[in-house]
Amino acid sequence: MYDAVVSAMNHPDPFNPYMGLFNFRSIKALSARDASLDVVTPRPRAPPIGPYSEFSDIPSRHEYSSHEVHYPRFLYLLPQKLFKYTLSSKSFSEMLPKYVSSNFETPDICHAGHIHYDGYGLVPYCRSNDIPLTVMGRGKILNNFYNLSQISRRKIRKTLDYADGIFCVSESLARIANNITETPKATVLPNGADPSRYPTDSEATIRQELGIDQDTTLVMFCGGYTERKGIREICDALDNIRNDDVAFVFVGHYGDLRTELLAELKASHHENYRVLWEVPPLGLRRWFAAADIFMLPSHAEGRPNTIYESMASETAVVASAVSGIPEQVVDEETGLLIPKKDSDSLATALNSLIGNSKERERMGTNGKERLVSKGWTWEAHGQRLANLHETIINDGQLPAAEILG
């Protein structure tokens, strides 16, 4: 048994229960191991009006079934692009050590759900208390590191250099992290999905309830309505995608291209589509179980959780061959990989699977078998995270065999 303080700014709260579900599931999986957790999810100090005024309704603490979360406030200035790595970052890193010191016993280790803000904010506390720090390396910061400003890169590098362990969700991200730090210390810690939670045995009933005919090919997208997730490539591909008994479902909870997507769908020859917002996890798993094809033409990723969910639900995948996606999807075995920013290739890949149900089923079966054989589940994630923490607590560092070469 060990004690840990976990900071995860991107985590659900009573106001937004779908924010950062991957962090929630990671913490839940860790809490099921031999770890006693104090979890902090800092939230912007609520202004009287504006986009963050609703944060005033978030309580100071909230009890989930697996762990309690504290919601301390810090100064978060808009626009985010201007202040994220300057004034907001300074407010966060000053608030977090004081809050942890005042509210929790000194832990054996601290763990950050993200490099920034969480990891950067925990560095002063860990340094002053001589406590090891581990950070999760996810796609957005590491993939964009060399395009960030000098001050942003300095803060991220400072965090990574101080950390005793950098746990990346893909091999591609671990290599980037090891190139940034003076001493390589990044290892791979995959997320995952639990096939037993996806009601594939009830697919026919679910389709009937959703109003999707059994013979209709259902193509699904799940992610942000953003340029980075490939929404514009989807829009460009629509008129070249077969429309013989095809339905589309789009699921997202953020992004400013939703209106553009709706306009393009209305102007296309497709009539059977739904563009949804903030679908609860149970409903999302039903859509995955009902889908025949999952598409994700992203420009950059880590290892997307949505692809793990597709594999768990035996759904064939069409996705861009970027970042960690080729580590998940075996081309022509569990799905089809396409070049990024290529709407023609997207349409061609979708059309080849829309017209071939046997190939879709083969890829879906292979995907689930790959997920299970690789141990890409949340239970395995929690056990590996606990093992990595205990190694660092007991030995002071990860053995060379754990670090990605």
Side-chain angles (χ1 to χ4, degrees), residues 309-367:
E309 293 181 280
S310 299
M311 298 168 80
S313 59
E314 301 182 64
T315 304
V317 176
V318 173
S320 303
V322 297
S323 309
I325 290 179
E327 299 170 26
Q328 296 172 288
V329 179
V330 180
D331 192 31
E332 298 187 355
E333 289 297 322
T334 67
L336 297 175
L337 295 174
I338 60 173
K340 70 176 181 179
K341 300 183 181 181
D342 191 334
S343 58
D344 290 338
S345 293
L346 174 62
T348 299
L350 289 174
N351 285 335
S352 70
L353 292 182
I354 288 170
N356 194 335
S357 61
K358 289 185 178 180
E359 186 70 354
R360 296 196 306 264
E361 291 170 4
R362 181 184 71 85
M363 289 180 173
T365 299
N366 289 344

Side-chain angles (χ1 to χ4, degrees), residues 101-259:
S101 296
S102 300
N103 289 273
F104 309 130
E105 297 292 329
T106 305
D108 298 305
I109 195 168
C110 287
H111 179 67
H114 292 268
I115 299 166
H116 189 273
Y117 290 84
D118 301 303
Y120 182 73
L122 283 171
V123 167
Y125 176 80
C126 291
R127 179 179 283 120
S128 63
N129 290 278
D130 194 24
I131 298 169
L133 170 67
T134 60
V135 299
M136 289 298 303
R138 304 189 187 277
K140 192 170 183 180
I141 282 181
L142 290 176
N143 280 326
N144 295 324
F145 177 78
Y146 294 102
N147 296 321
L148 297 173
S149 67
Q150 185 175 351
I151 188 172
S152 304
R153 294 197 305 271
R154 185 168 66 246
K155 291 186 175 185
I156 292 167
R157 185 176 279 113
K158 173 184 176 181
T159 303
L160 296 180
D161 281 336
Y162 181 83
D164 298 271
I166 306 166
F167 306 151
C168 296
V169 296
S170 71
E171 294 178 12
S172 64
L173 294 178
R175 292 190 182 95
I176 294 172
N178 281 335
N179 287 332
I180 294 171
T181 54
E182 294 179 359
T183 303
K185 62 183 78 172
T187 188
V188 179
L189 176 63
N191 291 340
D194 184 353
S196 66
R197 295 174 63 83
Y198 293 80
T200 53
D201 291 343
S202 303
E203 180 182 356
T205 301
I206 292 170
R207 277 179 165 251
Q208 183 177 18
E209 292 172 351
L210 294 173
I212 306 293
D213 190 80
Q214 301 301 324
D215 296 326
T216 298
T217 302
L218 179 59
V219 181
M220 179 178 179
F221 167 89
C222 181
Y225 295 116
T226 65
E227 184 174 357
R228 188 172 70 93
K229 289 293 185 179
I231 290 296
R232 289 212 162 95
E233 284 72 35
I234 293 174
C235 290
D236 292 341
L238 284 173
D239 283 337
N240 293 321
I241 298 173
R242 296 172 58 169
N243 66 337
D244 46 343
D245 209 6
V246 175
F248 294 91
V249 59
F250 297 86
V251 180
H253 66 274
Y254 69 95
D256 57 1
L257 296 185
R258 184 169 180 253
T259 301

